[in-house]
Amino acid sequence: MTRAFAAILITCFGFCAPARAQDVKTEIERYRQMVSEGSPAELFEVEGEALWKKPQGPKQASLEKCDLGLGPGVLKGAYAALPRYFKDADRVMDLETRLLHCMTTLQGRSREEATQRVFGNADRPSEMESLSAYVAAQSRGLKMAPGESHPKEKAAYELGRALYFQRAGPWDFACTSCHGEEGKRIRLQELPVLLKPENARGVVATWPAYRISTSGFITMQWRMNNCYQQMRMPEPAFGSDATVALIHFITVTGKGEVYRGPGNKR
Amino acid sequence: MAGPMKMRATLAGGNTEVRVLMTHPMTTAQSGQPLHFIQNVTVKLNGRAVIEAEVSQAVSRNPVFSFRLKGGAKGDKIEVAWLDNKGESNKIETAVA
């Protein structure tokens, strides 16, 4: 009796385990599908629109004349063409870095004041998060096509790629420590190998996003910041060349995908 | 002031499908913070109440509700309002598309 039971158990281990992993995957997919049909990300878009039009700073100006790369105030498709080189700042910028640039130039705010609270929480989302949701949403349905022709854009790509492999910090971690091998995950969260276009595409198409587990909105600058924190590295400056380069590298790797965000994360 | 709401109402097979998003902390007793949750949701079709719902703490933060109303026509006005246990409220109105 005991032997027969053991035999069944062994057979089951052979077949049931992969089947269960498959079930979990389909169930997570089904859950994501349900959530995406009524995503709270849309609430952040509404809030972001109000902030975009709100006069702020010493100049009491709104961001409506902010040039996100396609001309002052042009929102349609602007996010899909980021990060890109900006002549007026003479550097490559991602969405949040550019928004910060507009806050300091158009609204006359200091960098210190504007970056005081760039990452919010569920109780109090940050201005940057809502603005990111609003701007990114205006690129829905458009192909991601970050800048790749300017020498500084090429340099940012190379720097991002180098940083992706750069091991450092007390744990000697690099991005590749978690995102360098197929099939790795933290709890149920799969860790995509972002060196491969087929993995980067889905990421690029859905960030920034609403995070269900924390009921907050998360941006790519936050993702970089938090990954570095998890690697126990010194905190990277918001909108620094390093974080922009990494974002540029990932976006270029995943280019061509139709933007369908702001998405939903677990 | 209550955060934004968003609503879509579309005709589908003779019925009106409504999906509404609400900004609300929906704080439960478990969190250790004062209870703060939506208690009542009212749906009006052209000014006439068609749904009076009672909502519990079991509903998530920033909830989304979706439901179908029998019939309906393009341009019909749908209003969804919520009232929480602190007496705060918000509402949104949209025309059926």
Side-chain angles (χ1 to χ4, degrees), chain A residues 8-178:
Chain A
I8 289 162
L9 261 184
I10 288 158
T11 329
C12 193
F13 270 117
F15 293 96
C16 301
R20 186 166 300 162
Q22 196 52 47
D23 279 356
V24 169
K25 246 187 135 170
T26 31
E27 278 306 294
I28 290 175
E29 261 324 301
R30 205 168 69 88
Y31 167 68
R32 285 205 179 126
Q33 179 67 32
M34 278 166 65
V35 172
S36 70
E37 283 166 8
S39 170
E42 289 181 37
L43 297 171
F44 288 81
E45 293 170 24
V46 175
E47 192 69 41
E49 183 176 5
L51 284 165
W52 179 261
K53 294 172 178 169
K54 182 182 168 191
Q56 286 198 91
K59 295 187 186 172
Q60 277 302 297
S62 74
L63 291 169
E64 286 165 297
K65 290 204 176 81
C66 179
D67 184 354
L68 296 166
L70 304 180
V74 180
L75 287 164
K76 182 92 187 153
Y79 180 68
L82 288 169
R84 67 188 294 158
Y85 172 77
F86 285 90
K87 207 175 169 191
D88 55 8
D90 191 30
R91 59 174 292 215
V92 175
M93 292 171 150
D94 68 329
L95 171 60
E96 289 151 272
T97 311
R98 189 61 187 174
L99 285 170
L100 178 59
H101 175 86
C102 287
M103 288 172 190
T104 52
T105 53
L106 292 177
Q107 300 182 321
R109 297 160 66 179
S110 72
R111 190 191 148 86
E112 290 64 41
E113 182 270 324
T115 57
Q116 220 165 39
R117 199 169 170 280
V118 280
F119 307 132
N121 56 35
D123 290 321
R124 207 155 67 88
S126 80
E127 181 188 2
M128 200 59 91
E129 289 159 348
S130 299
L131 283 169
S132 299
Y134 174 57
V135 177
Q138 316 301 315
S139 282
R140 233 178 263 137
L142 299 169
K143 276 189 182 166
M144 295 300 287
E148 288 184 89
S149 52
H150 193 275
K152 291 216 174 179
E153 290 168 345
K154 288 176 183 160
Y157 174 87
E158 289 305 327
L159 174 62
R161 190 180 162 83
L163 284 170
Y164 195 85
F165 288 96
Q166 182 67 51
R167 282 165 64 168
W171 284 1
D172 203 24
F173 258 52
C175 300
T176 47
S177 306
C178 298

Side-chain angles (χ1 to χ4, degrees), chain A residues 183-226:
Chain A
K184 283 199 175 182
R185 56 185 172 83
I186 293 177
R187 289 185 228 110
L188 275 176
Q189 184 62 52
E190 284 170 34
L191 300 167
V193 179
L194 298 168
L195 297 158
K196 298 187 175 177
E198 64 265 36
N199 295 337
R201 290 173 79 105
V203 169
V204 164
T206 53
W207 278 79
Y210 182 76
R211 192 176 200 183
I212 298 148
S213 58
T214 54
S215 315
F217 195 81
I218 46 176
T219 64
M220 233 5 177
Q221 281 288 336
W222 174 86
R223 184 64 275 168
M224 298 301 130
N225 183 291
N226 186 257

